[in-house]
Amino acid sequence: MSGRNISPNLALDQRIAERRARGERIVHLGFGESRLPVFPPLREALVEGAERNAYGPVAGAEDVRTAVAGWFGRRALPTTPDQVIVAPGSKALLLALQLVHPGDVLLPSPCWVTYRPQAVLAGKRALGVPVPAECGGVPDPDALRARIRRARAQGQRPGILVLTSPDNPTGTTAAPALIRELCGIAEEEELLVVSDEIYRDLLHDPRRPYLSPAEVLPHRTVVVTGLSKNLALGGWRIGAARFPADEDGRRLRDDVASVASENWSTLAGPMQQVAAYAFAEPPELRARLAADARLHARVAAAVYERFVAVGAVCRPPTGGFYVYPDFEPLRAVLARQGVSDDEGLQRLLEDHGVAVLAGRHFGDDPAALRFRAATSMLYGDTREEQRAAQQAVERGEDPLLLPHVAEVLGDLERALAKLTAV
Amino acid sequence: MSGRNISPNLALDQRIAERRARGERIVHLGFGESRLPVFPPLREALVEGAERNAYGPVAGAEDVRTAVAGWFGRRALPTTPDQVIVAPGSKALLLALQLVHPGDVLLPSPCWVTYRPQAVLAGKRALGVPVPAECGGVPDPDALRARIRRARAQGQRPGILVLTSPDNPTGTTAAPALIRELCGIAEEEELLVVSDEIYRDLLHDPRRPYLSPAEVLPHRTVVVTGLSKNLALGGWRIGAARFPADEDGRRLRDDVASVASENWSTLAGPMQQVAAYAFAEPPELRARLAADARLHARVAAAVYERFVAVGAVCRPPTGGFYVYPDFEPLRAVLARQGVSDDEGLQRLLEDHGVAVLAGRHFGDDPAALRFRAATSMLYGDTREEQRAAQQAVERGEDPLLLPHVAEVLGDLERALAKLTAV
């Protein structure tokens, strides 16, 4: 089992942190962390939760599961508390799901770095399917049908379909019609749909139509979410899953609870208090979240524009805080600098002071010149700068005009200009 | 994968909590939770850690790993920070170890409820070996040699030996000579020793000689520990592992970090702050821990005496907060009440208002009349009662004289008298 690596995004973040600690100036687009301060009422909930030092129920205490059920209910997914499990991150829930539900895993390609190694850890095959031209996070329907046929012909057993919207790494959102078509395939092929909706509250335009697969296929969809992205709480490790209400759904929930009880036991008590507060969505929290979503939208759009300006092809971001440019139109320019694949491009960018993560880590073709740029760490290195960025948005001002944001975007522009002007 | 169950101890605890919520009076010996208040400086550390909302390194931040390394160093195990991984509970680390290290798992029988299902989850065989007469937590050396021979003859591949001292479920401590003999076998048979030392700081007599397998076999021992038991923080989920310092140890640590990065990502930031404080062991914390260890010792001894008084056979507890009585001498009496196995005995005790966990859940022979009684939830149902129990010990008084403690022990006595006087 040696030769394992830690998740490449976490490894990159550690390397960049070390380079910065040595005083190097780097535009850090390499890590999908919302680098913003903790919203004070969340800290208060943590403190209130300190007395929760008993183990408590594996799936989470009643008050937490009730809050999570309400959260889903307000998103067109009526839910009872017994359909919910909370955990130290949605990642742990996704792994548990893969450990208990049989069959190989169909993944959009590119997709989040973790789905594939989790499938391997669970003894499954990861079957990548290209995403459509219009958005990432979900497979192209025709390609999905073909992949399933091919898989079955080869004796593989596709059992799980992972959909992510808005997605990581492309920062785009699947249209309702596309979700419906994919759900039709899942129903025909008897697949469990795992719908990763962790970026759902970070739609750049809150009026954008959103459809969860759980609305279409309630009996075969598990939805996972968490507080890491929308509330900038990655380091607090809070995730939740919603299981179908029927008999099969209850069995699946029990199976995941079984794995939970042998793995993480239960979400830490103080974090359960935080989850109970956050998933209840009091008005002050909604206001904070809405403003932060506008900040993410503005900065992601700015980074997108800078890649497109130098000739890259890129889907415009519509949710979360990622863009996924394709430097194919610049292949000749890059070839002159010895770059012919995505890791070469990642290295060249890093040499120019820009950290990104090559497409292969998301299951993409290594020969392509694609990478993910996470835009959520550009709000400032200090809490003061980050608060200033939030306050600019709150006041209706443009956060790009703040000197520290303008500076890092300037660094990015200069780096891109240099490596595309060779 | 259906038919999975949640860990039987967690399930029992949920059932008893529900019965108590309905107003039933039950002596709860069914769950190994230290039911004591959070020590206030730990709460302060949690609050200070609130700003740790970034993901941070998978293995844990430098300050935490340094504190844990110091903790091991003060226990005759010189350690550098890079030998350490922290996690949301030692359970998660134990599962990760089983997932990455090849070979089947040799377990003492009886042993903690979780090792066996974890082995199954990791695709391994769990090979139980009876414990010696003098203590639990470790296999009898002769039985271990025989079991390994038999396993190899059957084509099984023993690869891991789990040792627990002080142990759960017997509450006993392995003597240094025994540890040495077992380490000799591990060396001969090229086994990885996983030494679960989570109860190490809860020796009833702090002068009792203690030997960690990592002192004897530094190159092939991983030590796991946590704050759930000694600091009554089960619900906060904080665990740590120490890996060997050599090349193989580093590889194993990297493999576990890889699983961590795909499972729990990292220990929650505020909990890392708590761990940094607690593993540094400031004087006020040592005093708290020493007093709590005396409380555990006194109450465990009292429960032990009550079982022995009605005719059960039992090893005297020397660490942690468990006793593991054998009601074999009472088989005829129990048979008259329709009880012929451990689950029957557990049910009969529960009918008499005493919750325990039958031996089979620890891998013991179901036909035996053995069970585990956890004594750590007898300090009171309210924080005031629990504090009173702690304060009695601090003042050098006998906590058994407190009315609420005397009452629950009286309930236990009466229940035992009733079911042994038939």
Side-chain angles (χ1 to χ4, degrees):
Chain A
M1 278 290 195
S2 76
R4 286 164 179 278
N5 296 309
I6 72 163
S7 196
N9 54 337
L10 298 171
L12 175 65
D13 186 49
Q14 288 182 33
R15 187 167 77 242
I16 298 304
E18 285 156 16
R19 285 186 59 179
R20 287 180 149 187
R22 290 197 298 270
E24 294 185 50
R25 186 162 155 174
I26 298 174
V27 181
H28 192 353
L29 303 173
F31 193 54
E33 173 178 300
S34 175
R35 196 152 285 183
L36 288 170
V38 175
F39 185 47
L42 294 166
R43 190 188 306 118
E44 286 158 30
L46 182 76
V47 176
E48 279 169 35
E51 283 305 315
R52 295 190 181 212
N53 63 324
Y55 290 87
V58 171
E62 179 79 22
D63 65 331
V64 190
R65 289 182 293 108
T66 300
V68 174
W71 187 91
F72 280 115
R74 289 185 294 279
R75 281 155 186 79
L77 296 172
T79 306
T80 59
D82 63 354
Q83 286 174 259
V84 172
I85 298 181
V86 293
S90 58
K91 191 183 268 189
L93 289 161
L94 286 161
L95 178 60
L97 277 165
Q98 297 217 36
L99 284 169
V100 302
H101 193 77
D104 296 318
V105 184
L106 292 154
L107 294 173
S109 178
C111 69
W112 182 43
V113 292
T114 291
Y115 301 132
R116 189 173 296 266
Q118 284 190 337
V120 173
L121 205 54
K124 295 173 181 308
R125 283 187 200 83
L127 312 173
V129 187
V131 299
E134 68 270 26
C135 71
V138 300
D140 176 81
D142 291 335
L144 177 62
R145 284 192 193 89
R147 188 74 185 85
I148 294 173
R149 266 198 310 273
R150 186 149 55 92
R152 296 213 194 276
Q154 291 170 348
Q156 297 165 347
R157 300 183 311 134
I160 300 177
L161 171 63
V162 174
L163 304 177
T164 319
S165 183
D167 101 304
N168 169 6
T170 74
T172 60
T173 312
L178 181 55
I179 292 291
R180 268 185 228 286
E181 186 172 0
L182 291 164
C183 285
I185 298 173
E187 179 70 15
E188 273 167 39
E189 302 284 350
E190 301 186 352
L191 305 173
L192 176 74
V193 176
V194 173
S195 182
D196 188 343
E197 304 185 6
I198 197 163
Y199 297 98
R200 176 167 185 164
D201 283 359
L202 294 179
L203 286 175
H204 294 177
D205 177 356
R207 294 157 308 178
R208 172 177 286 272
Y210 185 90
L211 182 67
S212 169
E215 293 176 67
V216 187
L217 279 187
H219 58 296
R220 50 170 74 250
T221 302
V222 176
V223 183
V224 297
T225 186
L227 305 181
S228 298
K229 307 302 179 180
N230 52 357
L231 296 176
L233 290 183
W236 284 21
R237 314 304 309 127
I238 300 171
R242 174 194 185 272
F243 294 83
D246 63 5
E247 179 88 10
D248 284 350
R250 275 194 297 277
R251 196 154 38 228
L252 185 60
R253 178 209 58 192
D254 288 350
D255 286 352
V256 168
S258 164
V259 170
S261 78
E262 313 299 359
N263 186 355
W264 64 82
S265 283
T266 183
L267 173 61
M271 297 308 169
Q272 293 202 29
Q273 184 97 10
V274 170
Y277 165 77
F279 282 103
E281 299 181 282
E284 73 279 5
L285 192 81
R286 288 181 204 231
R288 171 75 276 138
L289 207 161
D292 286 350
R294 289 199 299 278
L295 176 61
H296 294 310
R298 185 72 183 106
V299 174
V303 172
Y304 159 79
E305 286 159 15
R306 274 142 190 89
F307 285 124
V308 171
V310 295
V313 173
C314 191
R315 295 176 186 86
T318 59
F321 31 68
Y322 304 104
V323 294
Y324 194 76
D326 187 341
F327 274 46
E328 190 58 38
L330 296 155
R331 185 172 284 279
V333 178
L334 293 167
R336 286 199 292 277
Q337 297 166 78
V339 166
S340 60
D341 67 1
D342 62 351
E343 281 201 338
L345 179 54
Q346 175 181 331
R347 259 196 309 276
L348 182 66
L349 280 159
E350 208 169 311
D351 289 346
H352 283 81
V354 178
V356 301
L357 201 56
R360 70 179 64 190
H361 297 296
F362 305 93
D364 207 347
D365 178 3
L369 296 169
R370 292 189 282 263
F371 58 85
R372 185 194 70 176
T375 60
S376 52
M377 305 221 294
L378 303 184
Y379 311 135
D381 290 331
T382 65
R383 291 305 194 196
E384 291 65 36
E385 287 177 346
Q386 294 160 11
R387 273 301 293 148
Q390 289 179 312
Q391 285 162 347
V393 173
E394 287 163 18
R395 285 193 301 262
E397 295 167 11
D398 187 351
L400 304 192
L401 300 178
L402 289 166
H404 68 276
V405 179
E407 188 183 353
V408 71
L409 288 171
D411 283 351
L412 175 62
E413 272 172 35
R414 277 183 294 278
L416 291 176
K418 254 193 250 175
L419 68 83
T420 54
V422 175
Chain B
M1 281 288 195
S2 77
R4 286 163 178 280
N5 296 310
I6 72 164
S7 197
N9 54 337
L10 297 172
L12 175 66
D13 186 52
Q14 287 183 34
R15 188 167 76 241
I16 299 303
E18 285 156 17
R19 285 185 59 179
R20 287 179 149 186
R22 291 198 298 270
E24 293 186 52
R25 185 161 154 173
I26 297 174
V27 182
H28 193 353
L29 303 173
F31 193 53
E33 173 178 300
S34 175
R35 197 152 284 181
L36 288 170
V38 175
F39 185 49
L42 293 166
R43 190 189 304 117
E44 286 158 30
L46 182 75
V47 176
E48 279 168 36
E51 284 305 314
R52 295 190 181 212
N53 63 323
Y55 290 88
V58 171
E62 179 79 23
D63 64 333
V64 190
R65 289 182 291 109
T66 301
V68 175
W71 187 90
F72 280 114
R74 289 185 293 278
R75 281 156 186 80
L77 297 172
T79 307
T80 58
D82 64 354
Q83 287 175 258
V84 172
I85 298 181
V86 293
S90 57
K91 192 183 268 189
L93 288 161
L94 286 161
L95 178 59
L97 278 165
Q98 297 216 36
L99 283 169
V100 302
H101 193 77
D104 297 319
V105 184
L106 293 155
L107 295 172
S109 177
C111 68
W112 182 43
V113 293
T114 291
Y115 301 132
R116 189 172 295 267
Q118 284 190 339
V120 173
L121 205 54
K124 294 173 180 309
R125 283 188 200 83
L127 311 174
V129 186
V131 299
E134 68 269 25
C135 71
V138 300
D140 176 82
D142 291 334
L144 177 61
R145 284 193 194 89
R147 188 75 186 83
I148 293 172
R149 266 199 308 275
R150 186 150 55 91
R152 296 213 195 275
Q154 291 171 347
Q156 297 164 348
R157 299 184 311 136
I160 300 177
L161 171 63
V162 174
L163 305 177
T164 319
S165 184
D167 102 303
N168 170 6
T170 74
T172 59
T173 312
L178 182 54
I179 292 291
R180 268 185 228 285
E181 186 172 1
L182 291 165
C183 285
I185 298 172
E187 179 69 15
E188 273 167 40
E189 301 285 348
E190 301 187 354
L191 305 172
L192 176 74
V193 176
V194 173
S195 182
D196 188 343
E197 304 184 6
I198 196 163
Y199 297 98
R200 175 166 187 167
D201 283 359
L202 294 179
L203 286 175
H204 295 177
D205 177 356
R207 293 156 307 178
R208 172 177 286 272
Y210 186 89
L211 182 67
S212 168
E215 293 177 66
V216 187
L217 277 188
H219 57 298
R220 48 171 73 252
T221 303
V222 176
V223 183
V224 297
T225 186
L227 304 181
S228 298
K229 307 302 180 181
N230 53 357
L231 296 177
L233 290 184
W236 284 21
R237 316 302 311 125
I238 299 171
R242 175 195 185 272
F243 294 83
D246 63 4
E247 179 89 10
D248 283 350
R250 274 195 298 276
R251 198 155 37 230
L252 185 59
R253 177 209 60 190
D254 288 350
D255 285 353
V256 168
S258 165
V259 170
S261 79
E262 312 299 1
N263 187 354
W264 65 81
S265 284
T266 183
L267 174 60
M271 297 308 169
Q272 293 201 30
Q273 183 98 10
V274 171
Y277 165 77
F279 282 102
E281 300 181 283
E284 73 279 5
L285 191 82
R286 288 182 203 229
R288 172 75 275 137
L289 208 161
D292 287 351
R294 290 200 297 277
L295 176 61
H296 294 311
R298 184 72 182 105
V299 174
V303 172
Y304 159 79
E305 285 160 14
R306 274 142 190 89
F307 285 125
V308 171
V310 295
V313 174
C314 192
R315 295 176 186 87
T318 59
F321 32 67
Y322 304 104
V323 294
Y324 194 76
D326 188 340
F327 273 46
E328 190 58 38
L330 296 156
R331 186 172 282 279
V333 178
L334 293 168
R336 286 200 291 278
Q337 299 166 78
V339 166
S340 61
D341 68 1
D342 63 350
E343 280 201 337
L345 180 53
Q346 176 182 332
R347 259 196 309 275
L348 182 66
L349 281 159
E350 208 168 310
D351 289 347
H352 282 81
V354 177
V356 301
L357 200 56
R360 71 180 64 191
H361 298 297
F362 306 94
D364 207 347
D365 178 4
L369 295 169
R370 291 188 282 265
F371 58 84
R372 186 195 68 177
T375 60
S376 52
M377 306 222 293
L378 304 184
Y379 311 135
D381 290 331
T382 65
R383 291 305 194 197
E384 291 67 35
E385 288 176 346
Q386 294 159 11
R387 272 300 295 145
Q390 289 179 312
Q391 284 161 347
V393 173
E394 287 163 20
R395 286 192 302 261
E397 295 166 11
D398 187 352
L400 303 190
L401 300 178
L402 290 167
H404 69 274
V405 178
E407 190 183 350
V408 71
L409 288 172
D411 284 352
L412 175 62
E413 273 173 34
R414 278 183 294 279
L416 291 176
K418 253 194 248 174
L419 67 82
T420 56
V422 174

